Amino acid sequence: MASTAPYGTWSSPIDATLAASHDGRPEFVGVVGEEVWWTAPRPAEGGRRTLVRRRADGTEESALPAPWNVRSRVMEYGGAPWAGAARPGTGPLVVFVHFDDQRMYAFEPDGGGTPRPLTPLSPVGGGLRWVDLRLHPERGEVWCVLEEFTGDGPTDLRRVIVAVPLDGSAAEDRAAVRELSDGAHRFVTGPELSPDGRRAAWIAWDHPRMPWDGTVVMVAEVTPGAPFGAARPLLGDLSAVGAAPGGTAAGGGAPGGGEAVAQVAWAPDGTLLYVSDATGWWNLWRADPTATPRAGDGAVPGTPLCPREEEFGGPLWRTGQRWCHPLESGLVAVLHGLGGNNLGILDPETGDLVDVAGPWTEWEPTLAVHGTRVIGVAASPRTGYEVVELDTCTGRARVIGAEHRDVVDPAYCPEPRARVFKGVDGREVHAHIHLPHSPDHTGPQGEAPPFVVWAHGGPTGRSPLVLDLEIAYFTSRGIGVAEVNYGGSTGYGRAYRDRLRGNWGVVDVEDCASVATALAEEGTADRARLAIRGGSAGGWTAAASLASTTVYACGTIIYPVLDLADWADGGTHDFESRYLDSLIGPLAEVPERYRDRAPVSRADRIRAPFLLLQGLEDPVCPPVQCERLLSAIAGRGVRHAYLTFAGEGHGFRRVETMVSALEAELSLYDQVFGLGRTDVPVLPLTT
């Protein structure tokens, strides 16, 4: 029988080590012959990612031992880091990118050998990096995106589509890497080869646009042994064509709201499928690459295949993400939904869409197909991410890898609800509410629990409604969690996404505060015990909230953006170096916004205690951002703690780091909310 105890004081079997050990998810599934492969996290092994191989008989094994770490650093967020092909009689051939040196390696898992390098090292800047690998053994090559540094600065680089020979001749010779595209665009994705092998298609964009602002689909002719020929823009935001030297789109000012194509794929009949938000929603379209371009904009006309006010795509943070995949039958596997991703099978001729049956409510943008099978990665509020296979003939879906197993009684996990709140000016704000939940304890009658508002990163992203043991770590102790998909989040159409344009630090702060205040007003949360936490862009929102509102009693700020002017002036990596043009506005046009909204400029307004967590090898939000905030609050009497972690970058991956971070966060709430806990080390707060 459950005992009555004050919220926030409950005991729980979900400790920080348990939560940290199950952090991460399978990613980048692929089919190699009859086998399914994917990358998987290993938090207890220094945070590396391994390649997992599921053989045809169902056995599952790690194909690469430590210290091999399958992860690319292209655009720092990486992307598809491996590819494989079956070879009758000799076993599979796999190519992958090793995180530590960013070289590409070839590996024959059944040959008894070790991985052999295919690409060279470079002493210039961040070196040579590879991503979105496409293995073409019949051509003796791997096609992929090369990110090549040309100097020591974070933006001294170029990106180009290349062919890497499989014979190892480029292992020590950069000149042996054959360039396929002309480098006219700052950003490119890996090339999709048409069924007849005659054309390649890819997505490109340039500064100051982000890929969700506007992209163009490029198509070129393929000639064996030669660069792509007759490359031309086919469709998308053709205003992005004509980049100036250095990879900046023609025209000044903030990036406009053009058409953003998130993915392209060839259908079996040679037409091109693409995911475009031309209607304000990412929907699936089809175009004939040989059609006559339209008069006026020069784009090839496209046909929507299933027009809906739903999202069939998402933000292209990592090259190699897939929201759709054609099958040999002509049907198309698609991910779609409103505020979440469901897996469905679309008939492009009729527009009929049938969703897969099963408990999964969220599918990751990684899909592979083999015959009539579709393989993806999915989760639910009761299960973590699993590798799932759908048989399109029978409609049956089953877990085939990384199967969820309850490491704790599910009764200790929350039962989240998706809710819509009214924000400033009556605008809708989407959020997931995780109430305190435990089979052992209930709160006192009439007492409202403490609540922590979680602001997701991105900020162009969203929080999925899935099982998260980090959230359960708090809710099972009697602390509620509200994940806010504030204006600017994806999953709700372009108009919702564009709310943040020019308003970062305003709309996100207001929406989080609206949810927190509403929960307090309805009695769901204790008004005096509200906190905010977030990482990366969420760290910005947390810090900006402490500097501009009095809603929160404390906050947890994790690898944040804090100084906008520095971040925009060479203080971050190339991919996001012009992100603030859309989030804030061009620096030259609105310098006062960069000054007035930055938490380092408003440190004198911060009164609430806070915890600052930072990886020392973070190239996206370097430690100097945190150091400037600490200097700005020095001597102001604000209680705070600053924890740094050697070997960690942007996003913590090691068990020991995540344990320290979680326990420190709980200790902060314990001290500020007066909980009286004794099960975590006391976090020293200084002034």
Side-chain angles (χ1 to χ4, degrees):
M1 183 175 179
S3 64
T4 300
Y7 287 109
T9 68
W10 303 350
S11 60
S12 171
I14 304 175
D15 61 17
T17 300
L18 183 68
S21 298
H22 291 81
D23 187 74
R25 68 195 64 171
E27 292 180 332
F28 299 113
V29 295
V31 176
V32 182
E34 295 296 323
E35 301 178 351
V36 178
W37 291 56
W38 62 89
T39 70
R42 293 292 185 263
E45 299 177 17
R48 77 181 185 100
R49 292 194 71 88
T50 188
L51 262 178
V52 174
R53 175 185 189 181
R54 182 188 185 274
R55 294 179 181 268
D57 63 5
T59 57
E60 186 178 317
E61 62 190 47
S62 176
L64 285 169
W68 295 107
N69 188 356
V70 185
R71 184 157 66 97
S72 170
R73 284 191 61 183
V74 169
M75 301 194 311
E76 294 302 346
Y77 295 111
W82 77 278
R87 297 178 302 170
T90 59
L93 171 65
V94 175
V95 293
F96 68 93
V97 175
H98 179 46
F99 181 77
D100 291 0
D101 60 14
Q102 286 299 290
R103 297 177 85 180
M104 187 192 306
Y105 289 80
F107 178 45
E108 300 175 63
D110 294 343
T114 59
R116 56 183 175 87
L118 296 180
T119 59
L121 295 170
S122 169
V124 179
L128 303 172
R129 302 173 179 182
W130 321 82
V131 77
D132 211 359
L133 280 52
R134 316 297 173 93
L135 183 55
H136 296 289
E138 74 286 355
R139 299 172 182 264
E141 296 175 329
V142 183
W143 290 5
C144 62
V145 175
L146 164 62
E147 181 177 82
E148 181 174 21
F149 280 78
T150 58
D152 293 331
T155 61
D156 296 334
L157 50 76
R158 61 193 291 267
R159 297 181 186 89
V160 65
I161 298 172
V162 298
V164 176
L166 283 170
D167 62 9
S169 57
E172 304 295 337
D173 182 8
R174 166 64 180 86
V177 176
R178 187 163 57 91
E179 297 194 7
L180 299 176
S181 64
D182 58 10
H185 293 283
R186 188 70 167 190
F187 302 96
V188 291
T189 63
E192 295 281 352
L193 188 62
S194 63
D196 62 8
R198 295 173 55 192
R199 296 185 179 89
W202 65 94
I203 295 171
W205 70 98
D206 292 287
H207 285 320
R209 291 171 176 83
M210 297 301 286
W212 42 86
D213 292 324
T215 61
V216 62
V217 176
M218 301 293 295
V219 173
E221 297 175 358
V222 174
T223 302
F228 291 153
R232 63 187 178 95
L234 187 74
L235 49 88
D237 184 7
L238 268 61
S239 65
V241 177
T248 299
E259 181 181 356
V261 177
Q263 186 194 336
V264 294
W266 293 97
D269 64 0
T271 58
L272 193 65
L273 305 177
Y274 62 103
V275 179
S276 166
D277 70 347
T279 64
W281 298 86
W282 270 307
N283 278 191
L284 187 63
W285 296 64
R286 177 169 56 195
D288 180 355
T290 66
T292 302
R294 292 188 302 246
D297 63 3
V300 168
T303 302
L305 300 182
C306 187
R308 294 187 180 188
E309 291 191 347
E310 293 182 10
E311 301 281 43
F312 286 68
L316 190 61
W317 280 98
R318 298 188 293 172
T319 54
Q321 292 178 301
R322 287 184 177 272
W323 291 269
C324 72
H325 205 308
L327 286 86
E328 296 173 358
S329 63
L331 300 175
V332 185
V334 297
L335 302 182
H336 72 103
L338 185 64
N341 280 334
N342 302 310
L343 173 63
I345 302 299
L346 173 68
D347 185 336
E349 302 306 320
T350 65
D352 292 338
L353 178 60
V354 179
D355 284 346
V356 61
W360 309 284
T361 57
E362 183 72 37
W363 292 74
E364 281 289 287
T366 177
L367 293 173
V369 302
H370 182 60
T372 60
R373 296 184 295 153
V374 179
I375 300 97
V377 174
S380 78
R382 282 295 183 185
T383 57
Y385 286 94
E386 308 170 293
V387 180
V388 181
E389 177 189 82
L390 168 67
D391 185 332
T392 60
C393 291
T394 65
R396 178 173 176 260
R398 63 187 180 114
V399 177
I400 63 168
E403 183 175 5
H404 172 82
R405 289 182 173 83
D406 290 321
V407 295
V408 67
D409 187 336
Y412 289 96
C413 297
E415 298 175 351
R417 292 178 294 156
R419 293 186 56 184
V420 180
F421 294 83
K422 288 296 181 183
V424 174
D425 298 329
R427 63 178 180 247
E428 290 186 345
V429 182
H430 296 270
H432 302 148
I433 307 304
H434 306 257
L435 297 174
H437 187 77
S438 171
D440 302 329
H441 306 285
T442 59
Q445 186 71 28
E447 178 184 326
F451 247 84
V452 184
V453 172
W454 283 28
H456 64 72
T460 307
R462 64 178 172 84
S463 295
L465 190 60
V466 299
L467 177 64
D468 186 333
L469 287 184
E470 280 197 14
I471 292 177
Y473 176 77
F474 294 104
T475 58
S476 63
R477 286 169 169 75
I479 301 172
V481 171
E483 297 180 288
V484 181
N485 283 324
Y486 47 80
S489 301
T490 53
Y492 309 98
R494 181 143 195 167
Y496 195 88
R497 193 167 84 238
D498 280 350
R499 284 184 190 174
L500 211 57
R501 186 175 292 275
N503 288 307
W504 196 35
V506 178
V507 167
D508 50 327
V509 170
E510 291 175 346
D511 286 357
C512 287
S514 294
V515 172
T517 302
L519 291 173
E521 290 177 347
E522 69 186 27
T524 300
D526 184 346
R527 177 66 181 83
R529 296 189 292 173
L530 295 172
I532 187 165
R533 77 101 91 160
S536 189
W540 154 272
T541 301
S545 295
L546 296 183
S548 59
T549 78
T550 58
V551 172
Y552 309 102
C554 61
T556 301
I557 305 167
I558 310 169
Y559 37 82
V561 180
L562 298 170
D563 185 344
L564 295 180
D566 174 75
W567 208 69
D569 187 21
T572 189
H573 63 138
D574 182 65
F575 176 55
E576 294 179 272
S577 63
R578 300 293 300 276
Y579 198 1
L580 297 184
D581 285 42
S582 58
L583 292 175
I584 303 295
L587 177 58
E589 297 177 16
V590 289
E592 70 284 352
R593 290 186 194 168
Y594 284 71
R595 180 187 64 249
D596 296 343
R597 291 189 194 170
V600 294
S601 301
R602 296 187 291 173
D604 59 321
R605 304 181 188 180
I606 298 177
R607 298 286 186 270
F610 65 87
L611 167 64
L612 197 55
L613 302 169
Q614 178 68 46
L616 292 178
E617 279 73 54
D618 190 340
V620 179
C621 297
V624 67
Q625 293 267 318
C626 293
E627 293 161 7
R628 287 184 178 138
L629 178 65
L630 296 175
S631 295
I633 66 163
R636 297 185 180 277
V638 180
R639 290 192 297 159
H640 68 277
Y642 180 42
L643 301 184
T644 60
F645 303 97
E648 292 284 11
H650 198 66
F652 301 152
R653 295 175 179 272
R654 300 178 178 182
V655 164
E656 57 271 25
T657 299
M658 292 183 280
V659 168
S660 296
L662 271 178
E663 291 183 340
E665 184 177 354
L666 180 58
S667 180
L668 172 71
Y669 304 148
D670 173 54
Q671 296 177 60
V672 174
F673 297 156
L675 304 178
R677 303 196 67 92
T678 60
D679 57 343
V680 291
V682 176
L683 174 71
L685 296 174
T686 65
T687 57

